Amino acid sequence: MTEKIKEQILAIRDTGLTNMFDTTAVQRLAFEREFFELVMFIEEHKKDYVRFIIYGDDE
């Protein structure tokens, strides 16, 4: 996971508009903000995304 993707996740989280486990809503919000890297990351690496949400790291 790149720093850019981490920043995009945190930007979506900071909006408070969705539960971060609702990946469809997160992807919609990311798309609206032109965070296309995050949209694709969730699509291709959902386990890594969830691990980051739960533990705050990507290892």
Side-chain angles (χ1 to χ4, degrees):
M1 175 183 308
T2 66
E3 285 301 314
K4 185 173 188 173
I5 291 173
K6 289 178 189 179
E7 290 170 7
Q8 292 176 353
I9 291 170
L10 297 176
I12 297 294
R13 183 196 66 187
D14 290 347
T15 69
L17 294 173
T18 189
N19 180 319
M20 294 303 288
F21 291 107
D22 183 350
T23 56
T24 303
V26 172
Q27 285 180 300
R28 179 180 46 80
L29 291 168
F31 185 83
E32 290 171 359
R33 288 160 177 77
E34 299 184 2
F35 293 168
F36 304 120
E37 299 89 349
L38 178 55
V39 174
M40 293 307 301
F41 184 80
I42 293 172
E43 194 68 29
E44 297 171 358
H45 305 283
K46 194 173 286 188
K47 283 184 177 183
D48 295 328
Y49 168 79
V50 171
R51 182 183 7 247
F52 183 76
I53 296 303
I54 293 172
Y55 299 110
D57 62 31
D58 57 345
E59 297 187 28

